[in-house]
């Protein structure tokens, strides 16, 4: 019995492979590498001391997925595969809807065909849109998303709920990630965005390592303690552990389980810069520029439901997020291409 | 320059073909006939006295669509193709999402490739969910849909809005239909549902014609004038005219134009039964049974925005809806199979 991990070569996928191995799960990985590098899987192999079964393929390719399910006895799926750049999703919405929505539909169809009915899905706090208050609980309204990327996450959540209604044998966990940062303690795997990073932490790290001249901070006039946007940064290794917990609990759930994965702590952009400077000993130059369309002031989780249902909570603080990011970035200034 | 009509063999599509012809539009029709009969198109040909260019194909088949766009000079699309049975969508959500969402994505991709950027989309009042008040205006909240069919309509609306944001050259009209009924005055085309009808009017008509023993009225305790659900029934020929108006106005729009197509009049189930009995001279036996999950008490349009933007309004009243339905049903007791 194996776990199929789609999008396993990506940032969160690669870290989750390590956690799965450590928890004793056998897995097969499936990735089209459109936005990731097979090198990440090679490095995971070194960390876990074991060869990974890797199938290169696209989740929209029914035949390829069908072959994986025919070849391996797949018991459950952790579904990371999807495009994830907010700005790009605004420019190319059809590509995002096709990859994320259509890809998920094909995956679900093949799962049904092979009677595999357990899935853990990579959702996002973006489904909450601009929350009326913080911390954010799982029962807050969803759907008022601000970009196509976010809408793909919301739509897939709804599709999965409909699948459950149509067939109560499905066991579905929706994990709503807050802001993943950090890297494996080895410093050999981490976040390796293509081109200009969309997310704060890789931008900070690339600025600290000298790849970028300065960091643009989008908005200094939000209603937060220092005017910059507040987010719930969560260490990717904690996040990976959440997936393992979800798999361990999945047989006992009797509803679509929807869980925030966050720390419950909100840090501003300036907080993160300062923490990163302290940890790395490097100065991070920044400029406060105009707000970015679609950004919100504050977003952080109420993580209590994750504790209650998955017996999971974040264990790694801001210092470790920064030091692990710095360890990865300084050892791999060009990511997997170095 | 032609209009591509997807799903043209269906109930609303076939009537729209007649209106397009009468208004001087040239068109090609594309339908997989999964839920409709080519006979409807043959009958449209008799009515308009002209051969219809028909391509049998599925909108999810990129190659087939691409060939249509290569062969004909398509200027705009009226996009009816999609599955539409609420109950079936609850049972087979993946099929609905694949046909409706993925089908629309493929269509849009092929349209972009061929630089065709005008589309009129068959949306539905179902996107409003349970409205907080009636009549329903276009700016009412949407998204709280009660079944997968409705969600596909809502999701496609959102996808089309994102397409417009990514490329302002697109001209997009979303027509939110209320409850289409009636038939062409010739009595040769009309609504021909497979199996047990989902909608009230064909059920009434089949009961009157003796195909069904009695009509089940779902709920007699709603907060309406007689306890049964109130809807905005609109004659399909009026609806078809709305599509022609949309095409005539489409070049001048500078936003995604979202318009209710309804009469503004709400009739209850019992009102409709009575009107049908009066018109047909037949008794319609009915039983009031439990409410049906997902049904709402009242739904009718504020049609003023359609008048303002499309210069369109419904012209046919409840008597004509009933008499045209009866004319079609009594002449074709088994629909196109007779």
């Amino acid at each position: 019995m194996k776990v199929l991990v789609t999008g396993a070569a990506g940032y969160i996928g690669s870290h989750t492979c390590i956690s799965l191995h450590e928890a004793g799960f056998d897995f097969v990985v499936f990735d089209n590498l459109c936005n990731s590098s097979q090198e990440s899987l090679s490095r995971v192999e070194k960390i876990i001391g074991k060869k990974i079964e890797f199938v290169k393929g696209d989740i929209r390719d029914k035949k390829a997925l069908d072959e994986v399910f025919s070849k391996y006895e797949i018991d459950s799926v952790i579904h990371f595969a999807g495009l994830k750049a907010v700005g790009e999703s605004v420019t190319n919405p059809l590509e995002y809807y096709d990859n994320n929505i259509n890809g998920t539909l094909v995956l679900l169809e093949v799962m049904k065909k092979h009677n595999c009915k357990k899935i853990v899905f990579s959702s996002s706090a973006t489904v909450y849109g601009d929350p009326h208050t913080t911390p954010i609980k799982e029962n807050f309204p969803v759907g008022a998303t601000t970009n196509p990327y976010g809408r793909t996450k919301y739509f897939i959540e709804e599709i999965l709920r409909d699948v459950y209604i149509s067939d109560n044998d499905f066991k579905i966990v929706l994990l709503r990630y807050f802001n993943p940062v950090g890297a494996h303690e080895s410093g050999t795997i981490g976040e390796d965005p293509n081109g200009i990073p969309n997310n704060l932490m890789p931008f900070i790290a690339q600025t600290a390592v000298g790849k970028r001249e300065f960091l643009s901070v989008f908005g200094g006039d939000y209603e937060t303690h220092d005017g910059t946007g507040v987010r719930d940064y969560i260490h990717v290794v904690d996040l990976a552990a959440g997936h393992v917990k979800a798999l361990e609990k999945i047989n006992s759930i009797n509803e679509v389980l929807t869980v925030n994965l966050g720390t419950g702590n909100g840090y501003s952009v300036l907080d993160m810069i300062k923490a990163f400077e302290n940890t790395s000993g490097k100065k991070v130059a920044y400029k406060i520029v105009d707000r970015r369309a679609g950004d919100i002031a504050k977003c952080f989780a109420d993580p209590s439901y994750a504790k209650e249902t998955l017996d999971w909570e974040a264990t790694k603080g801001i210092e470790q997020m920064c030091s692990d990011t710095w360890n990865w970035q300084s050892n791999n200034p060009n990511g997997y291409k170095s």
Side-chain angles (χ1 to χ4, degrees), chain A:
Chain A
M1 300 295 262
K2 288 180 190 292
V3 181
L4 177 68
V5 186
T6 71
Y11 174 44
I12 305 169
S14 55
H15 288 82
T16 300
C17 288
I18 297 170
S19 301
L20 283 171
H21 171 78
E22 288 171 351
F25 284 97
D26 239 5
F27 57 92
V28 187
V29 314
F30 188 85
D31 201 305
N32 66 4
L33 303 178
C34 79
N35 219 357
S36 58
S37 161
Q38 202 177 338
E39 176 64 17
S40 68
L41 294 173
S42 304
R43 296 192 183 181
V44 170
E45 287 177 336
K46 277 190 198 131
I47 293 167
I48 68 177
K50 196 182 156 189
K51 185 114 189 73
I52 288 177
E53 295 185 84
F54 167 60
V55 180
K56 185 175 173 185
D58 191 301
I59 49 167
R60 292 166 298 176
D61 181 347
K62 199 179 287 182
K63 195 164 158 282
L65 265 181
D66 191 62
E67 281 169 12
V68 171
F69 278 84
S70 296
K71 182 170 175 188
Y72 301 98
E73 210 180 325
I74 308 286
D75 176 59
S76 55
V77 176
I78 304 184
H79 178 33
F80 292 109
L83 299 178
K84 62 172 185 177
V86 168
E88 194 180 61
S89 80
V90 175
T91 316
N92 304 319
L94 291 177
E95 208 184 326
Y96 271 68
Y97 287 113
D98 184 41
N99 269 274
N100 295 9
I101 304 286
N102 185 25
T104 302
L105 292 174
V106 173
L107 172 64
L108 288 166
E109 212 177 303
V110 176
M111 286 175 66
K112 274 190 86 164
K113 180 181 164 191
H114 291 271
N115 206 33
C116 172
K117 296 187 175 179
K118 295 178 211 165
I119 183 167
V120 177
F121 173 63
S122 291
S123 190
S124 165
T126 191
V127 301
Y128 296 113
D130 194 354
H132 58 288
T133 181
T134 44
I136 297 171
K137 287 176 173 296
E138 287 83 351
N139 62 5
F140 275 25
V142 292
T145 47
T146 58
N147 57 71
Y149 159 73
R151 276 184 274 288
T152 67
K153 293 295 176 191
Y154 169 61
F155 290 178
I156 294 169
E157 284 200 356
E158 294 292 298
I159 290 168
L160 286 165
R161 289 181 201 285
D162 283 330
V163 165
Y164 177 73
I165 290 169
S166 75
D167 182 351
N168 285 184
D169 289 344
F170 265 88
K171 305 284 188 185
I172 297 170
V173 184
L174 309 176
L175 298 179
R176 291 179 177 160
Y177 309 156
F178 281 69
N179 291 61
V181 295
H184 187 258
E185 56 179 359
S186 67
T188 60
I189 65 169
E191 186 170 9
D192 180 25
N194 283 334
I196 301 169
N198 283 284
N199 298 327
L200 176 65
M201 202 61 158
F203 215 116
I204 290 181
Q206 290 188 7
T207 307
V209 87
K211 275 193 74 175
R212 307 209 171 264
E213 203 185 338
F214 65 91
L215 169 74
S216 296
V217 177
F218 297 106
D221 56 353
Y222 283 110
E223 293 229 345
T224 60
H225 63 275
D226 62 19
T228 65
V230 164
R231 296 291 180 275
D232 185 336
Y233 296 95
I234 173 163
H235 197 293
V236 66
V237 173
D238 277 334
L239 202 62
H243 293 76
V244 171
K245 288 285 192 185
L247 272 193
E248 286 170 349
K249 298 280 178 187
I250 202 164
N251 286 321
S252 63
I253 64 173
N254 291 307
E255 54 167 352
V256 175
L257 186 64
T258 308
V259 181
N260 286 339
L261 294 186
T263 64
N265 302 312
Y267 291 106
S268 74
V269 177
L270 298 184
D271 291 338
M272 293 304 282
I273 292 174
K274 201 165 158 190
F276 199 89
E277 287 179 336
N278 286 342
T279 304
S280 66
K282 299 280 176 182
K283 195 80 195 154
V284 177
Y286 70 87
K287 286 182 192 171
I288 292 181
V289 299
D290 286 349
R291 292 183 181 192
R292 194 166 55 174
D295 277 354
I296 59 179
K298 273 196 228 177
C299 174
F300 59 96
D302 179 333
S304 57
Y305 192 62
K307 174 75 178 157
E308 181 191 326
T309 57
L310 297 182
D311 187 28
W312 173 93
E313 62 189 330
T315 61
K316 296 173 191 294
I318 187 171
E319 294 76 17
Q320 194 166 355
M321 297 179 201
C322 291
S323 62
D324 286 338
T325 300
W326 180 235
N327 190 26
W328 152 253
Q329 185 69 54
S330 54
N331 284 309
N332 304 272
N334 298 310
Y336 292 115
K337 289 169 286 294
S338 59

